[in-house]
Amino acid sequence: MNRRHFLKQSFAASAAYVSAPAILSARSPNSMFQVASIGVGGMGAVTMMSVLQHSKVRLVGMCDVDARTLELARGGNATRRKELQDPDAAKRLEGAAVYRDYREMIAKMGDTVDAVTIGTPDHMHAAMAVTALRAKKHVYLQKPLTHHIHEARILGAEAAKAGVTTQMGTQGHSTIETLLAVDLIKSGAIGKVKEVICWENKKTNWWPKMTERKAQADPVPENLDWNLWLGVADEVPFLEGAYHPSMWRSWVDFGVGMMGDMGCHYFDVVSSCLGLMAPTRVRCLDEGSKGALYAQKRHLEFEFPGTPLTSGDKIKMTWTDGGYPFDARVIKPSVLTKDTPSGIFFIGENGSVFKPHTQRPWLVPEEKFTGFAYPKTRIANHYTDWVDACMKGEKAAADLPTYGCPLTEAVLLGVLAERNPGGWIDWDAAAGQVTNRPELNAQLVRKYREGWSVPGLG
C-alpha cells in the first residue's frame, strides 16, 4: 500500500467514527456472556480475571504464545488469581479451550464466543482487534490501542461498522479518583483551565537487559512460539533478556515506550476532564530518540484546540518523564508528605488541581479552598461495566470509535515527535496528515510481515 492510497483509504474511513450502526446486544439477559482472552499474562491476566468478576461471564477460550503462561492461566493459578474474590468465578474459568494462535481461536470458536479481551504487546493490538471486530465480537482492548496512527483510524472505523461494544483498557478512566477530577474541573471550581502539566518519573521496570541486537540468536525457550510472538512485526532474532516477557515496550518494533505505558493514562484523565482529542501540533523539546530503542526520558509539548472548559481558543499541555525536574508552577498540597513521582497539574483561572497518578485530586493553593465541599462522586468498574454495556447493547465508558482511537492518535503523535525532534509537527486531524513536514506521513503506516497481512490494515 503506497502512502497516497493509504491516506485516501484510512483517513476517509475515519468518517465511520460518527456513523456507527446500533450496537448489538449479547444473546439474552439471562444467558452467560462468553469471553475468550488473547494474552493471559501480565495485564492480559489482569483483564481476564477482572472481567470474571461479573457473575454472568464465563471464560470459554484462552490464547497465548507462551505455553507456560497459558498453563498457569488454565489452572486458574495465574499471578492474578487474587482478582477472583468470588469462589464461583474460578469455576467459570475452568474448561476453557486453549490456543496459541489468535486467528485459529477466533475462526474455530465462532459463535460460541460473545466477546474478546486483548492484552498482548502493543504491535499486535490492531491486527487482533480488527480480526475480532470483523467476526462481530465485543472487544476489550488494552492501551495503547494501536502501534501506528493508520491502525488507530482503521480500528475506529471497523469498531463503528461492527456495531459492537468496545472498551479501551485504561481502567483508571472509571476510578473514583479520576471521576472526582472530572467533576472538579467541570464544576468550574478552578475556573476555566489555562494549561496542563503532566510528569512521570517512576522507575522504568520494562527496560531490557539486552539493548544491542546481535546477529546470532539465543535459543528460544521451549514454551515460547517466537514466530507467533513476532506476528505482524519484521523478523528479528530472539535474544534472552531483550523482548519477552516484559521488555518489549522499549523497542520501537513492538512497543510505544513510556507514552504507551503511562501516556495513555494521563491523556485519558486530561481528555475526560477537558474534552481534548486531536492536537493541532506537537514537538519534542529534547534530543528525542533514534535507532531501535525509545529514549529513557522525553519532554514533549502539545497544543490542542480549546473547549468550553478552557480559557482560550487553544491550550498547551506538556509531558515529561524519566527524571525532569518539577515545573516551578506546580503546587503540591501539604497533606501529601511523600514524593509524588507521577501526576497531572491543571492550571485554572481561579486556582489549580493537583492530581497524583492513582490518587485523589486536590485543589490548590489550599488556603484558597478552605472549607470547600468536594463533590460526591459515583463509583464505577471499568471491566464489569463493559460487560453490562455489551449485554444491554450500549456504548461503554471508553469506547473505541468516539473516544479511545482519537485519544490513541494523540498519544502516537507524541511518539512521532519523539522520533522526529527539531520543531513543531503540525497535524490536520480532518485530513489525517502532517502538513508542515509531509515526509513524516510515511511513518503513520506500517507494512505487516509476509503471512500476517490484514486487509485494509497492514
Side-chain angles (χ1 to χ4, degrees):
M1 183 184 297
N2 63 41
R3 190 178 72 196
R4 180 175 297 178
H5 179 66
F6 148 66
L7 292 171
K8 181 178 180 181
Q9 182 190 57
S10 66
F11 293 115
S14 65
Y17 282 13
V18 294
S19 58
I23 294 176
L24 303 173
S25 62
R27 306 168 182 176
S28 162
N30 297 317
S31 64
M32 296 299 289
F33 186 67
Q34 304 204 133
V35 175
S37 293
I38 305 173
V40 294
M43 278 306 297
V46 172
T47 301
M48 181 178 74
M49 295 301 197
S50 297
V51 168
L52 268 170
Q53 293 173 357
H54 197 292
S55 62
K56 286 288 185 180
V57 169
R58 177 186 291 121
L59 194 78
V60 295
M62 298 181 189
C63 180
D64 203 284
V65 300
D66 189 321
R68 185 177 300 159
T69 300
L70 195 58
E71 187 59 31
L72 285 171
R74 281 186 68 189
N77 218 359
T79 55
R80 302 298 176 175
R81 174 78 180 217
K82 62 184 179 180
E83 304 285 347
L84 294 175
Q85 301 299 322
D86 179 5
D88 179 61
K91 296 179 182 178
R92 292 183 275 109
L93 176 69
E94 295 172 358
V98 295
Y99 294 87
R100 303 292 292 277
D101 190 328
Y102 76 94
R103 300 167 298 183
E104 181 185 9
M105 183 178 76
I106 292 173
K108 285 189 174 181
M109 298 200 73
D111 292 340
T112 64
V113 174
D114 295 312
V116 172
T117 69
I118 300 170
T120 65
D122 301 344
H123 71 290
M124 292 303 297
H125 285 182
M128 291 172 169
V130 167
T131 300
L133 289 167
R134 288 176 178 171
K136 301 297 182 184
K137 309 303 177 190
H138 303 285
V139 171
Y140 186 108
L141 177 60
Q142 272 300 328
K143 56 78 189 169
L145 297 180
T146 68
H147 193 269
H148 278 66
I149 289 175
H150 161 65
E151 295 173 319
R153 291 275 171 130
I154 296 299
L155 177 62
E158 291 288 341
K161 184 169 65 174
V164 296
T165 300
T166 55
Q167 183 87 300
M168 177 175 62
T170 46
Q171 63 278 2
H173 182 88
S174 299
T175 64
I176 193 169
E177 293 83 6
T178 295
L179 295 174
L180 178 56
V182 172
D183 289 347
L184 284 174
I185 296 295
K186 290 187 175 181
S187 73
I190 63 170
K192 294 191 174 185
V193 177
K194 299 188 294 182
E195 189 175 341
V196 182
I197 301 168
C198 303
W199 68 95
E200 175 54 82
N201 292 322
K202 74 170 186 176
K203 185 178 180 180
T204 303
N205 58 10
W206 38 258
W207 195 254
K209 297 177 183 177
M210 172 68 69
T211 58
E212 294 293 329
R213 279 183 168 165
K214 58 183 182 179
Q216 182 65 39
D218 292 327
V220 178
E222 291 184 3
N223 54 289
L224 178 65
D225 189 317
W226 182 237
N227 179 59
L228 291 179
W229 191 96
L230 284 170
V232 304
D234 290 339
E235 189 169 358
V236 296
F238 174 82
L239 299 177
E240 183 68 33
Y243 310 116
H244 181 73
S246 59
M247 296 79 71
W248 49 266
R249 193 182 298 278
S250 54
W251 297 90
V252 172
D253 291 356
F254 309 121
V256 190
M258 185 60 83
M259 294 303 292
D261 182 17
M262 299 305 298
C264 289
H265 290 303
Y266 290 73
F267 277 59
D268 176 52
V269 174
V270 175
S271 181
S272 296
C273 288
L274 297 175
L276 305 182
M277 279 297 169
T280 52
R281 59 179 186 165
V282 58
R283 63 177 172 175
C284 180
L285 296 173
D286 57 21
E287 65 273 15
S289 66
K290 59 183 178 180
L293 290 164
Y294 291 106
Q296 291 187 279
K297 67 177 187 177
R298 72 220 83 242
H299 186 183
L300 305 172
E301 183 177 334
F302 298 78
E303 278 190 7
F304 292 87
T307 73
L309 295 168
T310 66
S311 63
D313 59 1
K314 62 183 178 181
I315 182 169
K316 182 172 79 170
M317 184 178 100
T318 54
W319 168 277
T320 58
D321 69 76
Y324 281 95
F326 276 98
D327 189 302
R329 295 170 295 168
V330 173
I331 304 170
K332 183 178 176 180
S334 59
V335 69
L336 299 178
T337 57
K338 296 182 179 180
D339 290 340
T340 310
S342 313
I344 306 172
F345 193 69
F346 295 87
I347 301 175
E349 295 171 324
N350 303 317
S352 298
V353 170
F354 186 99
K355 169 68 175 72
H357 181 58
T358 73
Q359 298 181 47
R360 59 159 291 179
W362 297 90
L363 293 168
V364 290
E366 292 164 277
E367 62 271 14
K368 189 169 185 176
F369 295 97
T370 301
F372 180 87
Y374 282 82
K376 292 182 179 180
T377 300
R378 58 213 175 277
I379 299 175
N381 183 307
H382 204 61
Y383 302 98
T384 58
D385 286 357
W386 168 69
V387 176
D388 285 333
C390 291
M391 298 188 75
K392 294 175 183 177
E394 298 175 350
K395 189 170 74 169
D399 80 306
L400 304 194
T402 63
Y403 186 81
C405 288
L407 186 147
T408 298
E409 186 174 297
V411 170
L412 294 179
L413 284 168
V415 178
L416 184 68
E418 176 194 334
R419 300 295 290 174
N420 298 275
W424 286 106
I425 296 174
D426 294 338
W427 180 247
D428 183 339
Q433 295 186 55
V434 176
T435 56
N436 65 325
R437 298 165 68 180
E439 69 278 5
L440 300 187
N441 288 316
Q443 298 179 33
L444 307 181
V445 64
R446 177 180 205 156
K447 183 179 179 181
Y448 288 2
R449 187 162 61 109
E450 186 176 352
W452 288 87
S453 177
V454 179
L457 188 63

